[in-house]
Amino acid sequence: ETLNTYGVQHDRFDFESELGWEGSNDQFLQILKKSPYFVPQTQKNEQGVPQGAYLDFTRFIEDQKLPTGKRGYQKVYPPLYVLRPDGSTLYTFRDVVYSFKKAANSDLVLNIICSEQDLAQQKVALAMYAMNPELQGRQYHVSYDLVKLTTGKMSGRRGRYLLADELYSDLKAVIVEKLRTRFQQKEEEIEPELFEKITHEVAAASMKYALLSVSCHAIINFDIAKVTDFEDSSAPFILYNSTRLTSLINKFNGKAAAGEVEKLPPIESVDFSHLDNQVEWELLLDFVLRFGATIREAACPTLPSPPGLPDYGTHKICDFLNYFTRAFSSYFGPKGVRIIPTSDGRGGGPGMHGRIYLCNALKQVIDNGLNLLMINPLEKM
């Protein structure tokens, strides 16, 4: 239910118990025991106490001459325990088995797991390499840091935490109040069902943008006032300006259908030299044409040699959308370029069709960017 609130779905859901039912655990354990780095469990180690079975990674790193130190592995590396002293498997063992299963069906595996599991995930990747050298660099840990509230720090040990459902309710309450005020100021009536849909989408978008706009390696300081700000650096800010573009394009199409303005001709016949505002060309060159490269930078980083972690940057898309929205928000409107003819004779002219094509391009880019962040563009707000 929580995931459904944010429109998040899994294409496939695996159960850990399947590894036991299908026999993968037993088969892998027999292979693991043949590894020269496998140290079996004992009821009495050198200290005279029971000890589980483990993989000796210190020796493995030395033998493979893997880098150690600041940009490498720990020189004296903690062992990866896979069995308890009684021979039963540990979670870490099953994690390795599952990783092999994923790798067998994938070209690249990205494990999206909190930074608290950095060492554990590094051990799993090392185990894959130790068992099959061809799997080095097949699986990466995409590490992300924690969420910190401006009202205090969450603590599982102290039972102090905030559920995503509760935070959504808080976000929505703020969004409802702000949007209700905006509609009242415009003296605009809105159906309750549509108002509910809009406030839900904006609240969910506020959460997504707040989480995705921060680098994975940085702690997120979650401030409800900031993430619901309609003026800058937030999902509401971007969504609102997206709906302004939608409104402008719809208004032109309505006037064209009514015969009040000339319909949009084929793009080949439009003279774009009439776009004489410097901002228009800056929007085209700095954002519209730049968008594809921004996606590549964010989604296709160069994968580092282990133990380096990949730097996927959802925040780069968020930054792009924020700067883009700032740039075009003042381009048209009362203080900007008048695109559609007004009653006082402003707007229209030979550049109108070129500017409508430009606005269509701006809307396409901003909607594509929002969709990448799993945020649904709105028609009205």
Side-chain angles (χ1 to χ4, degrees), residues 55-337:
L55 289 176
D56 186 351
F57 280 152
T58 298
R59 189 157 62 90
F60 173 71
I61 290 170
E62 290 175 353
D63 291 348
Q64 299 301 317
K65 296 181 172 55
L66 298 179
T68 57
K70 188 175 181 180
R71 295 186 178 275
Y73 299 97
Q74 299 178 42
K75 194 164 186 179
V76 179
Y77 202 92
L80 173 65
Y81 283 94
V82 292
L83 301 177
R84 298 183 179 90
D86 63 5
S88 58
T89 61
L90 290 163
Y91 173 79
T92 48
F93 168 80
R94 298 189 292 276
D95 202 5
V96 173
V97 178
Y98 183 45
S99 293
F100 268 86
K101 185 176 179 179
K102 288 186 289 186
N105 297 293
S106 313
D107 297 314
L108 177 67
V109 178
L110 301 175
N111 280 350
I112 319 294
I113 302 177
C114 183
S115 58
E116 292 177 325
Q117 294 293 318
D118 281 354
L119 180 60
Q121 286 297 303
Q122 191 180 95
K123 287 182 177 180
V124 170
L126 265 178
M128 295 175 70
Y129 178 28
M131 298 295 293
N132 184 350
E134 293 183 2
L135 294 183
Q136 185 186 29
R138 177 73 66 85
Q139 176 168 294
Y140 281 93
H141 175 207
V142 179
S143 175
Y144 63 90
D145 221 309
L146 301 172
V147 176
K148 182 179 179 182
L149 300 175
T150 55
T151 54
K153 187 177 180 181
M154 289 188 280
S155 171
R157 182 171 57 83
R158 298 180 180 179
R160 188 168 62 218
Y161 59 89
L162 182 64
L163 298 176
D165 294 331
E166 295 173 354
L167 191 53
Y168 166 79
S169 297
D170 293 342
L171 283 171
K172 189 174 180 182
V174 175
I175 294 297
V176 165
E177 186 61 33
K178 288 189 175 185
L179 284 178
R180 181 179 287 122
T181 300
R182 281 176 172 261
F183 281 113
Q184 288 173 349
Q185 290 173 344
K186 292 180 179 180
E187 297 182 348
E188 185 176 347
E189 294 289 333
I190 183 170
E191 294 292 328
E193 295 80 6
L194 179 58
F195 186 73
E196 169 63 25
K197 180 179 183 297
I198 291 173
T199 53
H200 162 70
E201 292 291 352
V202 176
S206 299
M207 170 76 92
K208 293 173 185 176
Y209 186 89
L211 298 179
L212 296 174
S213 64
V214 179
S215 168
C216 290
H217 307 302
I219 292 177
I220 299 173
N221 290 299
F222 202 98
D223 185 340
I224 289 183
K226 184 176 180 180
V227 304
T228 58
D229 185 358
F230 278 71
E231 303 303 323
D232 195 18
S233 302
S234 70
F237 170 66
I238 296 169
L239 282 169
Y240 172 66
N241 282 284
S242 171
T243 60
R244 289 180 63 217
L245 279 172
T246 302
S247 176
L248 172 69
I249 294 167
N250 289 342
K251 185 180 291 186
F252 169 82
N253 291 335
K255 285 183 175 291
E260 298 176 24
V261 296
E262 184 183 348
K263 290 185 178 180
L264 198 62
I267 194 169
E268 296 83 5
S269 63
V270 175
D271 184 358
F272 286 95
S273 66
H274 292 298
L275 273 63
D276 53 6
N277 189 309
Q278 181 66 21
V279 174
E280 294 167 332
W281 296 102
E282 290 174 354
L283 287 171
L284 180 66
L285 296 173
D286 295 345
F287 295 101
V288 175
L289 298 183
R290 173 71 185 151
F291 185 49
T294 300
I295 295 173
R296 284 193 296 273
E297 291 171 8
C300 306
T302 301
L303 295 175
S305 299
L309 300 178
D311 185 22
Y312 288 92
T314 57
H315 63 288
K316 295 177 183 178
I317 301 296
C318 295
D319 288 345
F320 173 91
L321 288 176
N322 186 51
Y323 292 132
F324 179 36
T325 305
R326 282 184 192 174
F328 82 72
S329 62
S330 58
Y331 160 59
F332 64 94
K335 297 182 180 180
V337 174

Side-chain angles (χ1 to χ4, degrees), residues 332-380:
F332 64 94
K335 297 182 180 180
V337 174
R338 284 291 188 177
I339 297 174
I340 301 174
T342 59
S343 57
D344 58 6
R346 291 183 297 165
M352 179 178 65
H353 289 145
R355 291 187 170 106
I356 291 297
Y357 269 112
L358 175 62
C359 286
N360 275 315
L362 300 181
K363 176 173 168 51
Q364 186 69 64
V365 168
I366 196 170
D367 287 357
N368 285 350
L370 288 170
N371 282 320
L372 283 175
L373 302 177
M374 296 180 66
I375 294 175
N376 297 320
L378 299 171
E379 292 291 315
K380 186 176 185 179

